[in-house]
Amino acid sequence: MERWQKVEKKAVTYTGEVVKKTPNPIVKHILTIIQRDSEMHHRTQQLIVDLMQGTIQMTPDEVAETWDMIEKHIETEHQAVELAREAKQLLLDRHLPVPEYLVGYLLADEEKHNALLDQLRLIKDKMYPYA
């Protein structure tokens, strides 16, 4: 995990260097997205280390405390996916490749959010097998 974290740190550095040098706002934006993702990957890797070492945990009570709010967010994420799909189709129909590319990124990210929340629901269900 530590080696992987070092790779993510390099990615943050490299993307930062390109962001500073490119005058193109599209390239700058895409690399900033990648840079922030790499920063989040590094943080997630540390969370995994902490979980494996037992320095943090997630209890059923902690999950139950906020589950109603998480359910509302799940519905919001589903709405975002539908709107992104509509926007992507509109852009495809109008033959606008760069905006369609960016909407495609947003759609994939929203779908990723849905997958993360679906997995969180599965974890919750395993914590509460009779719920």
Side-chain angles (χ1 to χ4, degrees):
M1 198 57 65
E2 289 174 0
R3 287 190 336 229
W4 191 5
Q5 283 182 298
K6 287 178 184 175
V7 169
E8 292 296 349
K9 277 189 173 185
K10 282 182 188 177
V12 170
T13 300
Y14 295 153
T15 53
E17 290 171 4
V18 177
V19 165
K20 286 178 187 173
K21 289 186 179 183
T22 184
N24 186 284
I26 297 166
V27 172
K28 188 179 295 254
H29 187 81
I30 291 166
L31 289 174
T32 300
I33 290 168
I34 293 169
Q35 184 180 45
R36 290 193 180 139
D37 280 353
S38 292
E39 289 168 345
M40 187 55 70
H41 295 169
H42 187 274
R43 290 175 56 195
T44 302
Q45 291 157 345
Q46 188 58 51
L47 185 65
I48 293 166
V49 169
D50 294 344
L51 282 162
M52 292 173 66
Q53 292 175 343
T55 57
I56 61 168
Q57 61 182 345
M58 184 169 68
T59 67
D61 289 341
E62 290 169 332
V63 174
E65 220 172 80
T66 56
W67 193 254
D68 288 343
M69 293 184 330
I70 293 169
E71 286 287 348
K72 288 178 184 173
H73 186 72
I74 289 170
E75 180 55 37
T76 301
E77 290 293 340
H78 286 292
Q79 291 171 0
V81 166
E82 288 308 311
L83 290 170
R85 285 181 179 152
E86 289 174 23
K88 185 171 179 167
Q89 189 58 53
L90 258 168
L91 294 166
L92 277 169
D93 293 345
R94 294 181 66 194
H95 306 289
L96 297 168
V98 176
E100 188 269 327
Y101 162 71
L102 293 169
V103 169
Y105 151 72
L106 292 173
L107 174 58
D109 218 39
E110 294 297 348
E111 290 173 334
K112 178 182 75 175
H113 295 170
N114 278 333
L116 285 167
L117 291 166
D118 287 344
Q119 290 297 313
L120 186 58
R121 179 182 281 130
L122 290 175
I123 291 169
K124 176 194 70 88
D125 291 347
K126 287 179 183 177
M127 295 174 104
Y128 289 104
Y130 307 106

